[in-house]
Amino acid sequence: MVAVGAVDPGSVTPTLATEPRLMPTYLFKMDSDNLLGEFLRARREITTPAQVDVRPIGRRRTPGLRREEVAMLAGVSTDYYIRLEQGRERHPSEQVVGALARALALDPESAAHLYDLARPGLARHRQAGWVDQVHSNVARLMECWDMPACVVNHRLDVLAKNRTAAALYDGLAHNDNLLRLALLNPAAHEFYLDWERDTYSKIAHLRAAAGAHCDDPLVVELIEELSSGSEEFRRMWDRHDVRARTRAPARFHHRDVGDVVTSMEVMSIDSAPGQKLIVFQAEPGSPSEEALALLGGLVRREA
């Protein structure tokens, strides 16, 4: 049986003895009002002169590029670039956006994110029609597999999962959203054997979603909740890294079957724009494959 549920916004549970430091609301408002400028500034500050073949001149207060260096590389005036970062100029031409992407040595995903921020009307057009209901054909397909599989949306809400995935995540608070699970549940540090890398990947995905779906109130609510509830989220979020989740190693520690080593594959469901099918495959004949088979067998016996 496939578990399908509505989105639960969850709750924030402090993990420290003292009250958690709340992220001032004006910080997020500033970020959401000037997403383009915040992204440019963040990428400029982590792009070194060596990465873009700029010869450093004089003493530098930070390792990143200066505003005038980005402007020179992009072929625009320093004043115009400063206005972009400060949000006083919000409509750069397609040619300028492309020049900025090259000046900052952005990879294809980060460059696409920059285009989304500079042309929000197009991003809103693309997100029209996105749904959170999983088609029964996809649910039946997942249930045919012994390997864990689930469907998520752009916020990483878990819309559906097969029996093995339900057994893998069973008992973990916030398992209806992969970001809340990783950042608001202390047990996630034991469950995800590569917690730092996995969580970084999820936050880079959310950063891309925030740019393409800046009008989605649930995205805004999720970012605010994670900002106030997790210092680790704030640290990773401030990097402004953008990365789609595609294929990566995924290692878990389950309380009943021990360590499970898999390869994660993420596939788009073309019939439901915005939905992703995530599958975790273990090496054939490996102890991890046996562990997943044991998990699936436990679920079938309980059912």
Side-chain angles (χ1 to χ4, degrees), residues 83-163:
R83 294 203 308 272
L84 283 174
E85 275 202 8
Q86 293 177 346
R88 293 186 289 124
E89 171 58 57
R90 297 174 181 266
H91 304 289
S93 68
E94 188 169 339
Q95 291 79 7
V96 168
V97 175
L100 289 169
R102 291 188 294 273
L104 294 168
L106 299 183
D107 60 28
E109 290 168 344
S110 296
H113 181 63
L114 178 61
Y115 275 99
D116 280 343
L117 296 178
R119 310 283 294 279
L122 294 179
R124 282 194 293 271
H125 176 73
R126 279 203 304 273
Q127 76 185 47
W130 288 35
V131 294
D132 282 351
Q133 183 174 355
V134 177
H135 195 278
S136 58
N137 288 347
V138 177
R140 283 196 296 269
L141 175 65
M142 289 195 300
E143 205 51 58
C144 293
W145 298 335
D146 292 330
M147 64 192 79
C150 63
V151 176
V152 300
N153 61 13
H154 60 285
R155 298 182 299 272
L156 297 186
D157 295 320
V158 179
L159 307 178
K161 50 184 176 282
N162 66 4
R163 291 183 179 184

Side-chain angles (χ1 to χ4, degrees), residues 190-212:
E190 293 184 16
F191 177 67
Y192 293 108
L193 294 177
D194 302 296
W195 180 90
E196 180 85 13
R197 185 193 65 202
D198 289 352
T199 304
Y200 165 80
S201 169
K202 293 180 177 78
I203 292 175
H205 166 90
L206 181 63
R207 173 62 79 174

